[in-house]
Amino acid sequence: MPDSVDSAVQFTATTPDVPPPSAALRRGREHYFPQASDAEWNDWRWQFKNRITTLDELERHLAIPEAERKMRAEVLSDFRMGITPYYLSLIDADDPADPILRQVVPLADEFYFRAVGEEDPLGEEKYSPVPGITHRYPDRVLMVISNNCAIYCRYCTRKRTMYEGATPDVEIDAMVDYIARTPQVRDVVVSGGDPLNYSNQKLESILAKLRAIPHLEIIRIGSRVPVALPQRIDDELVAMLQRYHPLWINVHFNHPRELTPDAARACDKLLRAGIPLNNQAVLLKGVNDSVETIKSLCHGLMKMRVRPYYLYQCDPVRGAEHFRTPIAKGIEIIEGLRGHTSGLCVPTYVVDAPGGGGKIPVQPDYLLRYDERAGRAVLRNFQDKIYEYLEPGYLRDVISPSRRTPPKSASKPHSNGVAAHPKAASNGKHEPHSDKVVGKSRWVHKGASPKRPKKS
Ligand SMILES: *Cc1c(COP(=O)(O)O)cnc(C)c1O
Ligand code: SF4
């Protein structure tokens, strides 16, 4: 099946307008839904209506081992399933560990780990001034306006909200009202659930109310619809959305096989309406936890003009233990991208701190040592070569003491890297004292003072 990625992505790079379905995707559709006409298949209402939501429906398409039937049923009594025919058609029916399947089909692991994890791992409710709003950061809020999605991702951080009834209009109005009376909010992330699951009319009424708030500069929508139900992104929807600029959309592709011609066409429509697209992927064991997979995902996204924005560490949400990776895996992936491919392809890897600490960026440590008083830094490049960099403060050792300017903040040197964060500094491989320094700030060696302290 990997050739489906290539054909989909290659095609988007050359003719973004009307990509035909790739051969593999066509096989997928024919395998699962041979009876569907093109008109049905391309109609998002048909896709939505024919979602797979029960085990009986699932079993018509994918075998369920007898031993797992009860387990899966119990899992579903707790967190619902929803798979559009389109998304199902991306699953390789012969591969029980298929990365698309793992995202949406409840498996035995989810049963085993059903009691492990938290209800609200991000503490969203702790920072909630009114139901649906999380105000965690100074100038922006999260606004959860729906609790249903085109597909239900088994690792969803917000699965706790997914079995409530529809969000009542009065609650949405209360959210809008909170933003209207909170002038420091200049950016709202409208999420869910999936806001694009609403009718155009209902969504427009919400966007119009938000746009009427003078201090609200940016509206962002978080949606997995371009991934799971790309047919929904039609001219009518896009014409409505573009009346509410500046509007940004965060999409959620996790695997290169999701980058199909249909998804590319949906993204292209949004982009042509002036809506910038940023991708938020979740790092998931058995789905995308390798440098190759994430690199291929990011390359494919770039060809679709979608910027990789965040790579999230999987949250410790109830029932998702089997998706979690060590943080070292995320660091390894970022390290495998930075310098090795376009900087635009490198998302920010973030760990959402438990209990509402917010997103914390984590990255490989390239600053192996930093002695602010000596004005000396030891850095590592993407090829693991070590460089010494001297700051302008170094000059205090070669000019007369009366002209020295002490460094502003530093009263004591601090070092960063190996000792303090053995894992972060490239998994503890680096000992700057033993590694050969291959580059140094050049001017230092011209007439450098012998008095230069050998500090760090
Ligand atoms: C992620 C998030 C945001 C937006 O964060 P950015 O880093 O600006 O994308 C805002 N509020 C909450 C509660 C969030 O979780
Ligand atoms: S689309 Fe987003 S909100 Fe919906 S189930 Fe998936 S991760 Fe959760």
Side-chain angles (χ1 to χ4, degrees), residues 274-288:
I275 302 169
L277 300 181
N278 285 271
N279 191 62
Q280 312 197 109
V282 183
L283 179 55
L284 298 166
K285 191 157 96 188
V287 174
N288 59 11

Side-chain angles (χ1 to χ4, degrees), residues 19-90:
S22 71
L25 181 54
R26 251 199 326 267
R27 267 203 310 280
R29 172 181 157 186
E30 273 162 23
H31 173 82
Y32 294 105
F33 292 92
Q35 75 290 0
S37 70
D38 281 354
E40 285 174 329
W41 189 259
N42 294 320
D43 176 0
W44 67 264
R45 290 173 189 84
W46 183 90
Q47 288 282 344
F48 200 79
K49 212 165 50 211
N50 286 281
R51 286 191 309 169
I52 285 87
T53 59
T54 66
L55 286 182
D56 288 341
E57 286 163 354
L58 184 67
E59 202 163 28
R60 265 178 243 147
H61 304 287
L62 293 166
I64 300 177
E66 197 42 51
E68 285 187 21
R69 206 160 216 298
K70 268 206 161 115
M71 296 182 200
R72 295 200 194 188
E74 180 162 344
V75 165
L76 287 194
S77 70
D78 189 37
F79 177 45
R80 64 189 177 191
M81 174 171 65
I83 311 169
T84 56
Y86 162 79
Y87 199 73
L88 187 79
S89 77
L90 307 183

Side-chain angles (χ1 to χ4, degrees), residues 160-202:
R160 69 180 185 280
T161 68
M162 297 297 178
Y163 18 40
E164 294 160 7
T167 312
D169 284 348
V170 286
E171 257 184 41
I172 294 177
D173 287 345
M175 296 179 211
V176 174
D177 182 58
Y178 175 80
I179 297 170
R181 62 187 151 84
T182 313
Q184 67 267 35
V185 177
R186 42 159 290 283
D187 176 0
V188 62
V189 178
V190 182
S191 184
D194 204 309
L196 299 188
N197 260 19
Y198 278 133
S199 68
N200 293 355
Q201 199 189 6
K202 166 113 182 191

